[in-house]
Amino acid sequence: MIVRGQRSVWLRSWGAWQRGLRQQQQLQLTPPGSLVRACLGGPPTRPIVDMSYSRHFLDFQGSSIPISMKKLVVTKLNSNFREAVSLRHDAPVPLPGDGDLLVRNRFVGINASDINYSAGRYDALAKPPFDVGFEGIGEVVALGLSASEKYAVGQSVAYLKAGAFAEYTVVPAKEAIPLPSMKPEFLSLLISGTTAYISLKELGELSEGKTILVTAAAGGTGQFAVQLSKKAKCHVIGTCSSDEKCSFLKSIGCDRPINYKTENVAAVLQKEYPKGVDVVYESVGGEMFDLAIKSLAIRGRLIIIGFISGYQTRIGLPASHTEMLPAKLLKKSASIRGFFLNHYYSEYQMAMKHLVEMCEMREIVCEVDFGDLSLESKFTGLESVFRAIDYMYMGKNIGKIVVELPHSVNSKL
Ligand SMILES: NC(=O)c1ccc[n+]([C@@H]2O[C@H](COP(=O)([O-])OP(=O)(O)OC[C@H]3O[C@@H](n4cnc5c(N)ncnc54)[C@H](OP(=O)(O)O)[C@@H]3O)[C@@H](O)[C@H]2O)c1
């Protein structure tokens, strides 16, 4: 029986058959012509279907999985997310392979680099259409046989993978992160938390009594840089754009929040920190980068986390006065190191495990921002991703921006 709008047993078998065809293609067991005939409607020639897999695949434990779903797709390379990305309403729900999980996304994270990705800056060869969104958490609703060794339907998982701005995402089981429960706070750890944790551990050389300057300190990753530096017994200065953010920063232990809209950051640093700062966690770029370099102490180090002030420009880079940089660094035996999370996968699992534990034990605050105070409404549904990105670039967010995806399909999960 084919149930309108829902996957039926027939469709699941079709999925297994389609998978069989894919396997044939990969193994090149079937001449391409017969595959084409099969796809054009003739009876499948000799689909290779692993019956154990197929049996397992039939076990959805009552979850209702639709045939099609909504997802965001980059259709034109552009750093203006609204120009670059379209909402598709009828994308096929992807089928998990043998080692995969099908995850129904519950919360997806907004990142400053979503607009770098939509502009094709992550991959010079990227050609639209392609999927977008870096991270999500959700429930496993179906899975392949090998994946079932470690996972089961109903389990909460997190993942990092392009294509999170969708109702469902296929995630290789070996890349998924099992979660103790479905809390949006965990989403704030996936990219934002781990970036602060790993970069400060590997490059920060933090120790008691050091002074650290965190820029965009009240944002997704800044909040963790502040708290982890306090845990390392450092003195923390944090820049942000409002008094409300300053109050938040104080509440998470920041010693000297600076609202750069009402205070001159360079003057504050010069006056209150005449010896300079030992470490900078820098993610704004442009003028903020220049003044951070100027404020470095002898043997100080600046970690480049990002340069958000330039992402909306055509080339994605802010203007900066770097001509004198070698001389400025030499004069202070100072250094600059870049950090990109993708290059630190070997540290990732351990960092995530520790952060989840700290979050569970309430040893760190994982502030999430659903846009409750935005002019329109809370960030709910994929349609609201566009608003959520605007909200970040208006500098409104406190903590990690999260979009909730309500479940439109009845489920027994
Ligand atoms: N290297 C990595 O692997 C990695 C990983 C994650 C994030 N990052 C970087 O970390 C930074 C923060 O990212 P996030 O996703 O956590 O965002 P976020 O900090 O949650 O939000 C961005 C914040 O930056 C400030 N801002 C927004 N637009 C700005 C503009 N045009 N000029 C100057 N400041 C602006 C605002 O805070 P204010 O109140 O301070 O204005 C805003 O709240 C970005 O540079 C991002 O690329 C890097």
Side-chain angles (χ1 to χ4, degrees):
M1 183 185 69
I2 300 175
V3 182
R4 192 177 153 79
Q6 292 188 352
R7 280 185 189 278
S8 62
V9 169
W10 174 83
L11 191 81
R12 292 168 206 159
S13 314
W14 175 84
W17 170 67
Q18 202 190 38
R19 186 182 147 68
L21 285 182
R22 243 187 278 134
Q23 282 175 341
Q24 280 180 325
Q25 271 170 321
Q26 279 161 5
L27 297 170
Q28 295 187 329
L29 290 177
T30 311
S34 56
L35 272 175
V36 172
R37 271 197 304 283
C39 293
L40 286 175
T45 46
R46 192 177 145 268
I48 299 172
V49 176
D50 174 342
M51 286 317 289
S52 56
Y53 170 81
S54 148
R55 259 200 315 278
H56 184 82
F57 202 54
L58 284 171
D59 180 13
F60 283 76
Q61 290 192 15
S63 60
S64 304
I65 302 173
I67 293 167
S68 61
M69 64 171 187
K70 289 183 193 171
K71 76 168 174 176
L72 296 186
V73 178
V74 176
T75 49
K76 182 179 150 193
L77 297 182
N78 201 312
S79 62
N80 179 333
F81 199 79
R82 287 180 184 274
E83 294 268 314
V85 175
S86 306
L87 175 63
R88 294 234 163 115
H89 291 262
D90 55 356
V93 172
L95 293 164
D98 180 53
D100 296 331
L101 311 174
L102 179 63
V103 177
R104 181 169 56 198
N105 291 315
R106 180 71 191 285
F107 300 106
V108 294
I110 302 297
N111 287 281
S113 261
D114 287 326
I115 71 169
N116 288 328
Y117 198 76
S118 68
R121 291 177 190 143
Y122 270 57
D123 176 2
L125 301 175
K127 295 260 180 300
F130 55 84
D131 298 345
V132 63
F134 295 130
E135 54 181 343
I137 65 178
E139 299 105 350
V140 175
V141 289
L143 70 171
L145 183 64
S146 302
S148 69
E149 281 171 22
K150 282 198 181 156
Y151 289 94
V153 169
Q155 193 160 348
S156 301
V157 293
Y159 65 88
L160 291 182
K161 187 181 176 238
F165 291 158
E167 289 177 316
Y168 293 83
T169 306
V170 164
V171 180
K174 59 179 186 319
E175 290 169 24
I177 299 154
L179 292 175
S181 59
M182 181 67 65
K183 285 202 298 200
E185 286 77 9
F186 292 137
L187 189 64
S188 70
L189 305 175
L190 269 176
I191 291 180
S192 307
T194 53
T195 294
Y197 185 103
I198 301 171
S199 64
L200 291 175
K201 181 164 175 282
E202 297 296 315
L203 311 178
E205 295 170 44
L206 300 184
S207 60
E208 187 167 356
K210 297 284 180 203
T211 301
I212 174 165
L213 168 66
V214 179
T215 61
T221 190
Q223 64 170 330
F224 293 106
V226 168
Q227 295 178 78
L228 294 170
S229 304
K230 282 311 292 175
K231 283 194 174 300
K233 299 190 165 64
C234 295
H235 179 93
V236 183
I237 309 158
T239 66
C240 65
S241 58
S242 72
D243 290 343
E244 196 194 351
K245 291 189 183 195
C246 281
S247 304
F248 167 68
L249 286 175
K250 276 211 167 114
S251 76
I252 59 169
C254 182
D255 299 287
R256 179 58 166 104
I258 306 175
N259 174 353
Y260 66 78
K261 293 252 170 101
T262 56
E263 287 193 275
N264 180 317
V265 182
V268 170
L269 293 174
Q270 223 168 10
K271 183 167 171 231
E272 298 179 28
Y273 302 92
K275 288 188 179 161
V277 298
D278 301 299
V279 182
V280 184
Y281 187 86
E282 215 296 278
S283 53
V284 172
E287 277 178 29
M288 192 65 92
F289 172 85
D290 293 336
L291 73 84
I293 288 285
K294 208 171 156 197
S295 74
L296 279 173
I298 303 288
R299 295 174 69 169
R301 47 214 166 270
L302 181 146
I303 309 171
I304 300 183
I305 296 297
F307 28 88
I308 190 169
S309 62
Y311 295 169
Q312 289 173 303
T313 65
R314 195 182 51 79
I315 54 166
L317 291 167
S320 185
H321 304 105
T322 49
E323 317 83 43
M324 299 295 289
L325 197 54
K328 286 179 185 165
L329 296 178
L330 179 74
K331 255 170 49 183
K332 292 179 181 169
S333 294
S335 58
I336 301 180
R337 293 281 299 269
F339 176 89
F340 189 39
L341 183 63
N342 291 14
H343 301 147
Y344 285 84
Y345 276 141
S346 51
E347 326 295 324
Y348 187 80
Q349 296 287 349
M350 184 275 298
M352 191 60 195
K353 188 168 174 286
H354 194 190
L355 285 165
V356 168
E357 278 165 14
M358 285 196 281
C359 179
E360 285 284 82
M361 305 293 288
R362 297 178 189 273
E363 289 173 14
I364 45 170
V365 172
C366 304
E367 188 70 17
V368 293
D369 189 337
F370 282 108
D372 303 71
L373 300 177
S374 68
L375 284 179
E376 290 162 72
S377 52
K378 198 177 158 178
F379 303 135
T380 307
L382 287 169
E383 296 81 354
S384 66
V385 168
F386 299 94
R387 277 200 298 120
I389 289 176
D390 291 344
Y391 181 78
M392 173 181 280
Y393 278 89
M394 286 188 291
K396 300 277 187 215
N397 63 300
I398 296 185
K400 174 82 186 179
I401 304 181
V402 175
V403 171
E404 181 167 13
L405 306 187
H407 296 151
S408 52
V409 176
N410 289 333
S411 165
K412 291 181 194 159
L413 284 175

